[in-house]
Amino acid sequence: MKKLMTLALMAIALTAQAQEKTTIEVPQWVKNVKFSGYGMLQYQGQDPEDNATNSFNLRLARFILDGKIGDFDWRAQIQATNVKGPGEPTVQLVDLYAEWRKYPEFKVRAGQFKRAFTFENPTNPITQGWYAYANVINALSGFGDRTGEKSSGGRDIGIQASGDLFPNAEGRRLFHYQIGVYNGEGINSKDADNKKDIIGGVWVMPVKGVRIGAFGWTGTKGSISATQTVTSVSETNPPVVTTNKVTTTLTSVRKNRYAISAEYDKDQYTFRAEYLHSQGWGSNLDLGDKADGWYAFGIVPVIKSKLHAKARYQTYRPAKEWATSKTMYEIGANYFFTKNLQVNLEYARVNDRSLASHNYNFVDVELDFRF
């Protein structure tokens, strides 16, 4: 009997122990990790003379991890896109950085991230509002750069200091600064010539929603595969004229750029204008060593949080001459089914003076979603 009582008590004790919940303490930094992303699906058509095209396209997908460890924020972002064209997708790491944010007056970011140049560059593609960034931003802010740098989404590897100063009575800060030192080669690339790019910007915010700023950029591109048109005339009678494209490699090509920017962004009304100028050779030597461009746009709510109308004017001159200019007059609308699902419509009349027939039409339709 005594043995039975002992066995019964042991069974009860084991059962109670098995029923106890095991608690695993999750570190706070794991709790602070957030996963998000978005996808952008696109239809695009245009009708330049003898070169009309139309196609569905997977513009891009992004997968994002954001986190916080103590006074540091961090981000890791991967992008998949058809940047090389259908059937040749590119998957690459676009962001990987940590930023010390203990004080709003002085923050330090290190890793791979957006260059400190222009207001438009840091904007997210899904919130930027258009089928693409302005042509001048693409060419002179490190996207498909005129230097031939691979598409970098405006990013580079380096370190940046920034801060917001002079709070007013409501606590809104009136002045922002940022300055960074970068490899100068674009994303996922080491410095090719051991010379760094220095990029900085400042802006004032005198009224809520208003920013007025200026940016500067000086540095080098380690190497450029550049082409030049070479014409030769034979000594025969009659002479024969031959035109060829000659490819050469330029090293440590200088980049000197500046931008002037203004923006109003409040209550779903967004107006922005920027002018960019570049001095330095690009991958096409026939275009010379200067380029510039500008854009201005407005996006306004027709039905708040539901339907926005938009218009944009932009010009890019790859040789800083009107004979090379490409100008687009764009109108469109963005409709939000929910805050995470939208469709964007856009029509543009294009004037491209580098073509024999300058004018043509352009349309873009996008379905964008977040998760």
Side-chain angles (χ1 to χ4, degrees):
M1 186 69 178
K2 190 173 182 181
K3 288 183 178 180
L4 288 173
M5 290 285 292
T6 302
L7 289 172
L9 289 172
M10 288 178 63
I12 292 171
L14 290 171
T15 302
Q17 185 177 6
Q19 290 176 344
E20 288 182 2
K21 293 183 178 179
T22 301
T23 302
I24 299 175
E25 187 65 31
V26 178
Q28 186 60 44
W29 72 267
V30 175
K31 296 179 182 178
N32 290 334
V33 175
K34 176 185 175 183
F35 173 72
S36 62
Y38 55 90
M40 306 180 78
L41 313 177
Q42 183 180 59
Y43 169 82
Q44 199 170 91
Q46 53 188 341
D47 64 352
E49 189 173 90
D50 299 325
N51 193 30
T53 61
N54 72 89
S55 180
F56 293 104
N57 183 41
L58 304 178
R59 181 179 171 187
L60 60 82
R62 285 189 176 172
F63 306 94
I64 308 164
L65 286 175
D66 289 300
K68 185 176 180 63
I69 305 175
D71 295 325
F72 286 83
D73 288 356
W74 61 267
R75 165 169 284 197
Q77 182 173 201
I78 293 175
Q79 174 177 288
T81 178
N82 270 353
V83 68
K84 289 186 177 181
E88 292 186 87
T90 295
V91 178
Q92 58 187 354
L93 181 68
V94 290
D95 280 317
L96 184 64
Y97 65 82
E99 183 172 49
W100 183 66
R101 300 177 59 87
K102 186 172 183 178
Y103 303 105
E105 298 86 358
F106 182 73
K107 294 171 283 188
V108 179
R109 177 180 295 186
Q112 181 165 280
F113 50 89
K114 288 279 191 175
R115 290 165 161 129
F117 194 68
T118 76
F119 285 163
E120 178 143 323
N121 181 10
T123 58
N124 192 306
I126 202 169
T127 58
Q128 186 261 348
W130 299 93
Y131 82 93
Y133 296 92
N135 291 326
V136 67
I137 298 294
N138 285 326
L140 301 182
S141 193
F143 287 76
D145 202 274
R146 80 186 298 264
T147 61
E149 175 186 295
K150 66 181 180 181
S151 180
S152 296
R155 294 168 170 85
D156 204 345
I157 303 174
I159 185 167
Q160 172 187 287
S162 65
D164 296 284
L165 308 175
F166 312 128
N168 63 9
E170 292 93 30
R172 185 175 60 82
R173 296 177 182 269
L174 305 178
F175 181 83
H176 175 88
Y177 72 90
Q178 55 190 44
I179 184 167
V181 180
Y182 309 85
N183 281 342
E185 306 298 331
I187 63 173
N188 305 321
S189 299
K190 293 183 177 180
D191 198 331
D193 61 0
N194 297 319
K195 299 177 182 178
K196 301 296 182 284
D197 284 13
I198 300 174
I199 306 174
V202 296
W203 60 77
V204 294
M205 298 165 280
V207 179
K208 190 174 182 179
V210 172
R211 295 191 295 169
I212 302 170
F215 301 84
W217 178 346
T218 185
T220 61
K221 177 77 169 67
S223 64
I224 292 178
S225 179
T227 62
Q228 185 175 21
T229 303
V230 176
T231 301
S232 60
V233 181
S234 71
E235 297 181 358
T236 60
N237 188 16
V240 177
V241 178
T242 303
T243 301
N244 293 306
K245 286 284 187 181
V246 176
T247 301
T248 185
T249 299
L250 307 178
T251 57
S252 292
V253 181
R254 174 59 58 182
K255 291 177 288 186
N256 291 315
R257 299 175 180 177
Y258 68 84
I260 301 171
S261 311
E263 178 186 75
Y264 175 80
D265 187 5
K266 184 183 177 186
D267 298 329
Q268 299 183 28
Y269 288 85
T270 304
F271 301 92
R272 186 185 307 133
E274 297 192 275
Y275 172 80
L276 283 71
H277 182 276
S278 175
Q279 185 275 322
W281 294 100
S283 59
N284 185 348
L285 299 180
D286 296 337
L287 295 175
D289 69 341
K290 291 184 175 62
D292 72 347
W294 53 89
Y295 73 90
F297 75 71
I299 301 177
V300 300
V302 177
I303 303 174
K304 202 164 186 179
S305 301
K306 203 70 176 175
L307 177 64
H308 292 171
K310 60 186 182 181
R312 178 169 70 173
Y313 160 72
Q314 60 164 316
T315 294
Y316 174 56
R317 303 190 300 177
K320 203 181 176 182
E321 296 175 357
W322 282 107
T324 66
S325 68
K326 181 178 181 179
T327 298
M328 299 181 70
Y329 307 89
E330 303 162 75
I331 58 172
N334 300 333
Y335 182 79
F336 299 83
F337 298 100
T338 71
K339 66 178 182 179
N340 291 327
L341 180 65
Q342 67 190 74
V343 60
N344 305 332
L345 310 174
E346 193 167 335
Y347 166 78
R349 184 64 173 171
V350 184
N351 177 268
D352 188 342
R353 299 193 185 185
S354 68
L355 302 178
S357 181
H358 301 334
N359 300 310
Y360 62 91
N361 302 295
F362 171 92
V363 294
D364 182 89
V365 182
E366 289 191 17
L367 180 65
D368 301 340
F369 59 90
R370 306 168 188 260
F371 53 87

